């Protein structure tokens, strides 16, 4: 085994000499948010936060297509009203992947139900007797769920939903319907669904069966039978994610950024568009150029939620450049950090742009990828067959070629 060369002392010292110098300064209360981040967040999680902000700014300034993923109970916590809706309205967020739950719980307040602060230690047996639903230190009446179920059941029975569609199409139609209801009710703070509809931001949900909107689909199918023709096309849904990333790579600035709030299915559903292109469809791609994540999970337990950019790079999800200079994993609760960074972003006038309206370009994106897949159809056909003789390793000599050494 070849010996790893030891770097010269002079080169190590030169690298250190060029490193960014910690530059803490007395806080006066007059600093702009960006100035405070630059000088008061020099180390540890603070430095992670500062670097994340710099990468968020870079995403906007490079005019990257920004795919934001959202997991956890973030709409009950109000993160959509404080951060996401303003980011969509200012054209910063290009596409969203989230959970059905986040879209469902946002609808409670649209129809008049509030979410209140509760004592998480007051006793869940008592909360259940009082029909109060608890999400840690937030609560709402059970009636909020029942009324919201009636809302979505009524919307889903409308004619435009009686066909097969992808989740971006589904949420676009839901957003359109909710937008109309908001106007009728005089709602002053719009929902995430209606805001994304207005600004052409596609919304994917990678596990629809895990949210209450789809639970109402189950009810409608059982009650109405063949009369209810709504269906989600999971195949086209996954393809549309890859298609949109491929389209964004070859149009506009050609830069892709991912901002990951939490982890879970939304994170992987978005990132897996890159290996789908490269490894499954043989369409060359390089992975996301910028990768910023806010998550409380440790990175050493093998969980996908905590997978950092370097690990994602081994799967082809993020680029070499992202690993080296374009990624940051911030170990924190999203609700404790992201509102502050959003404020810092908005405090800089240059951090805004026109909405990309990617939803309007979905059909073009699918056609664009279809053309590339068609070019490769002959070679792709060779990947469809397998036999037991193809299993590796089949001989002792083959096995040696697969040996891995950890130094």
């Amino acid at each position: 085994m070849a010996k790893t060369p030891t770097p010269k002392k002079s080169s190590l010292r030169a690298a250190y000499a060029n490193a960014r110098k910690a530059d803490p300064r007395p806080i006066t209360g007059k600093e702009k948010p960006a100035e405070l981040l630059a000088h008061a967040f020099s180390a540890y999680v603070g430095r992670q936060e500062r670097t994340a902000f710099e990468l968020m700014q870079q995403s906007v300034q490079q005019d990257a297509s920004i795919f934001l993923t959202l997991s956890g109970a973030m709409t009950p916590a109000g993160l959509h009203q404080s951060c996401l809706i303003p980011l969509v309205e200012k054209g910063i967020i290009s596409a969203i992947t989230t959970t059905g739950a986040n879209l469902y719980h946002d609808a409670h307040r649209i129809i008049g139900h509030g979410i209140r602060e509760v004592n998480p230690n007051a006793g869940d047996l008592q909360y259940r007797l009082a029909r109060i639903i608890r999400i840690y230190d937030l609560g709402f009446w059970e009636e909020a769920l029942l009324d919201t179920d009636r809302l979505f059941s009524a919307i889903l029975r409308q004619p435009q939903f009686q066909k097969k569609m992808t989740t971006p199409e589904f949420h676009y139609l839901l957003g359109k319907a909710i937008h109309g209801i908001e106007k009728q009710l005089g709602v002053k703070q719009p929902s995430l669904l209606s805001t994304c509809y207005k600004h052409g931001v596609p919304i994917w949900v990678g596990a629809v069966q895990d949210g209450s909107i789809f639970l109402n689909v189950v009810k409608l199918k059982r009650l109405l039978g063949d009369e209810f023709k709504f269906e989600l096309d999971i195949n086209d849904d996954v393809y549309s994610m890859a298609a949109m990333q491929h389209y964004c790579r070859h149009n506009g600035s050609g830069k892709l950024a991912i901002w990951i709030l939490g982890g879970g299915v939304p994170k992987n559903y978005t990132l897996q568009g890159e290996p789908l292109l490269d490894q499954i469809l043989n369409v060359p791609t390089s992975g996301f150029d910028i990768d910023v994540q806010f998550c409380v999970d440790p990175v050493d337990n093998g969980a996908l939620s905590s997978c950092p950019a370097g690990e994602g790079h081994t799967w082809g999800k993020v680029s070499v450049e992202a690993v080296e200079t374009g990624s940051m994993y911030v170990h924190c609760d999203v609700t404790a950090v992201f509102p502050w960074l959003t404020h810092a972003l908005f405090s800089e006038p240059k951090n805004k742009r026109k909405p990309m309206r990617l939803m309007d370009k979905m059909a073009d994106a699918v056609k664009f990828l279809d053309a590339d897949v068609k070019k490769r159809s002959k070679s792709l056909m060779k990947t469809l067959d397998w036999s037991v003789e193809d299993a590796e390793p089949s001989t002792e000599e083959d096995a040696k070629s697969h040996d891995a050494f950890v130094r």
Side-chain angles (χ1 to χ4, degrees), residues 123-134 142 145:
D124 289 327
L125 299 181
Q126 286 73 21
Y127 281 138
R128 184 56 185 161
L129 287 172
R131 290 297 189 261
I132 295 172
I133 310 296
R134 182 172 76 89
E142 187 177 50
L145 299 178

Side-chain angles (χ1 to χ4, degrees), residues 251-269:
N251 290 274
S253 72
K255 296 288 185 179
L256 296 179
I258 184 167
W259 297 358
I260 305 165
L261 309 187
V265 170
K267 173 184 178 179
N268 191 57
Y269 202 74

Side-chain angles (χ1 to χ4, degrees), residues 30 51 82 88 97 108 120 148 236 247 259 278 286-287 314 348 354 364 366 384 398:
K30 298 178 181 179
T51 306
S82 63
V88 168
T97 309
H108 301 332
T148 304
D236 279 1
Y247 182 85
W259 297 358
D278 192 50
S286 56
T314 68
E348 299 292 314
K354 291 182 179 179
D364 290 339
V366 171
L384 304 186
D398 286 339

